[in-house]
């Protein structure tokens, strides 16, 4: 019997860097809202704190004299390099709610991928038609039969759940490149203007509570203040093999983030738009199957606007 392949999540855990402590049994999203006094600006600040702190941590790891190697996803590596293990199939079945980015965000994401690949030519890029933001993960790394059972339990509530964004509209703004030793993403923070009282974190809270009422146990890998779309992953060490190469990579990311902040965030004349309302064009999607890397199947999609 071949040894089990260790998931990249086991070696690269996404910890909550906002400082929020969640009590057992409580809605984890409500904990952050209560800590922020239900104030959108404070919620936005904690999302920003999380991604800035994580980026700083990762930068230090990339530039450290003790740097050893990137974290290569062994499952994606086998899927993209079939000769490594002929016939390999991803065994991890999942059940999630995805938010699909609208066309103008896909345009921005594609442009960011082009900029990133100039700095790292061997970067694996997420196809734009697979891009998504995980709003709620119900189960992961299960068998297909286990997921099928969960789907049966939640199916009657799916139309209501996937249409939540039609009546509960949450705006995301200020795109920024977020990264670690295994992947790179574009992240957003909840908007906090006068009419943004209902934030993306409120949406996640309400979705969590609504799913919980169906009786399905929610088994997310992590609950962090993050709204991100994966852009790419590393499949080899060659683009980051030397200190100079890693320094150049960090500089490229910083340059992109500076461009985003100065030319996209608040610009009305830019070719690219950096804000979107979750549910634009498509409502939430219930997806199951082998969902890593944007795969799997859609069970139902909510109404967009």
């Amino acid at each position: 019997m071949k040894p089990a392949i260790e998931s990249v999540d086991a070696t690269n855990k996404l910890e909550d860097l906002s400082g929020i402590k969640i009590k057992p049994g409580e809605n984890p999203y409500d904990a952050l809202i209560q800590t922020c006094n239900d104030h959108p600006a404070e919620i936005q600040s904690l999302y920003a704190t999380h991604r800035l702190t994580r980026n700083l941590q990762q930068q230090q790891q990339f530039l450290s004299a003790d740097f050893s190697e990137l974290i290569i996803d062994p499952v994606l590596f086998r899927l993209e390099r079939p000769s490594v293990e002929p016939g390999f199939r991803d065994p991890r079945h999942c059940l999630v709610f995805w938010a699909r980015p609208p066309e103008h965000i896909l345009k921005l994401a594609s442009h960011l991928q082009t900029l990133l690949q100039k700095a790292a030519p061997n970067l694996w890029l997420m196809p734009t038609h697979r891009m998504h933001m995980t709003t709620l993960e119900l189960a992961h790394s299960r068998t297909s039969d286990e997921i099928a059972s969960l789907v049966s339990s939640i199916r009657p509530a799916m139309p209501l759940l996937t249409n939540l964004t039609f009546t509960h509209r949450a705006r995301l703004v200020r795109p920024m490149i977020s990264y670690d030793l295994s992947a790179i993403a574009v992240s957003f923070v909840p908007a906090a203007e006068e009419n943004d009282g209902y934030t993306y974190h409120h949406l996640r809270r309400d979705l969590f509570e609504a799913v919980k009422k169906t009786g399905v146990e929610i088994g997310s890998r992590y609950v962090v203040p993050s709204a991100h779309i994966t852009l790419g992953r590393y499949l080899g060490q060659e683009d980051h093999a030397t200190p100079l190469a890693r320094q150049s990579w960090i500089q490229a990311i910083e340059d992109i983030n500076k461009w985003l902040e100065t030319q996209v965030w608040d610009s009305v004349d830019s070719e690219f738009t950096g804000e979107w309302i979750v549910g634009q064009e498509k409502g939430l999607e219930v997806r199951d199957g082998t969902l890593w890397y944007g795969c799997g199947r859609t069970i139902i999609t909510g109404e967009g606007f």
Side-chain angles (χ1 to χ4, degrees):
M1 179 181 295
K2 296 180 180 179
I5 296 175
E6 185 178 36
S7 169
V8 70
D9 296 319
T11 54
N12 190 45
K13 295 184 182 299
L14 182 56
E15 60 179 314
D16 187 343
L17 300 173
S18 68
I20 302 299
K21 302 300 180 184
I22 300 171
K23 298 177 182 177
E26 74 176 328
N27 184 320
Y29 300 101
D30 195 43
L32 183 144
I33 293 171
Q34 295 302 318
T35 299
C36 293
N37 302 304
D38 205 1
H39 197 289
E42 293 185 34
I43 294 172
Q44 182 187 89
S45 178
L46 280 182
Y47 269 69
T49 295
H50 172 82
R51 69 180 186 177
L52 288 170
T53 303
R54 182 166 173 81
N55 268 9
L56 180 59
Q57 283 186 351
Q58 299 304 313
Q59 180 187 105
Q60 292 171 344
Q61 291 190 49
F62 267 98
L63 301 181
S64 171
D66 296 328
F67 177 91
S68 57
E69 61 183 7
L70 299 172
I71 301 172
I72 307 302
D73 186 324
V75 176
L76 179 61
F77 186 78
R78 283 161 173 75
L79 292 174
E80 291 294 311
R81 308 281 192 273
S83 61
V84 172
E85 188 174 330
F88 175 82
R89 300 179 70 177
D90 189 347
R92 306 164 300 171
H93 289 254
C94 314
L95 179 61
V96 301
F97 283 84
W98 278 358
R100 291 287 197 177
E103 285 297 324
H104 68 274
I105 295 298
L106 291 177
K107 177 183 175 182
L108 173 64
S110 179
H111 180 67
L112 294 174
Q113 287 181 321
T114 298
L115 297 177
L116 291 166
Q117 199 165 46
K118 287 180 180 178
N122 295 290
L123 191 67
W124 176 84
L125 299 179
M126 177 78 76
T128 53
H129 71 275
R130 294 185 186 177
M131 288 185 179
H132 62 276
M133 184 170 66
T134 301
T135 303
L136 182 66
E137 182 180 59
L138 277 68
H140 67 92
S141 303
R142 308 279 282 273
T143 67
S144 59
D145 288 343
E146 288 173 325
I147 294 299
S149 177
L150 293 175
V151 169
S152 295
S153 297
I154 200 175
R155 189 179 292 278
M158 284 183 185
L160 178 65
L161 296 171
T162 54
N163 282 311
L164 191 61
T165 50
F166 192 81
T167 54
H168 297 69
R169 300 187 181 182
R171 191 164 62 101
L172 293 169
V173 296
R174 300 181 181 177
M176 187 178 86
I177 296 297
S178 296
Y179 63 100
D180 59 22
L181 293 177
S182 68
I184 190 157
V186 56
S187 65
F188 301 83
V189 296
E193 300 299 326
E194 183 178 354
N195 296 320
D196 293 310
Y198 189 85
T199 71
Y200 179 64
H201 211 76
H202 287 86
L203 174 64
R204 299 174 81 188
R205 176 201 65 185
D206 292 348
L207 184 59
F208 182 98
E209 202 62 37
V211 171
K212 187 177 178 181
K213 288 179 180 178
T214 68
V216 170
E217 183 178 351
I218 300 171
S220 302
R221 283 170 294 159
Y222 46 76
V223 179
V224 299
S226 179
H228 64 272
I229 299 167
T230 297
L231 298 176
R233 294 178 180 271
Y234 311 114
L235 282 183
Q237 308 292 339
E238 55 269 36
D239 292 333
H240 306 85
T242 67
L244 180 59
R246 294 190 291 276
Q247 177 62 60
S248 297
W249 175 239
I250 298 302
Q251 186 60 55
I253 292 173
E254 291 183 349
D255 290 345
I256 293 171
N257 280 338
K258 183 177 180 180
W259 172 76
L260 285 168
E261 184 174 356
T262 59
Q263 302 298 318
V264 177
W265 281 15
D266 300 312
S267 176
V268 294
D269 300 321
S270 175
E271 178 185 355
F272 299 97
T273 302
E275 70 169 66
W276 58 300
I277 302 172
V278 180
Q280 272 182 278
E281 300 178 7
K282 294 181 179 180
L284 296 176
E285 286 188 16
V286 180
R287 300 269 298 184
D288 74 349
T290 53
L291 296 173
W292 264 269
Y293 330 119
C295 300
R297 68 161 186 142
T298 298
I299 300 172
I300 185 173
T301 303
E303 184 177 358
F305 55 85

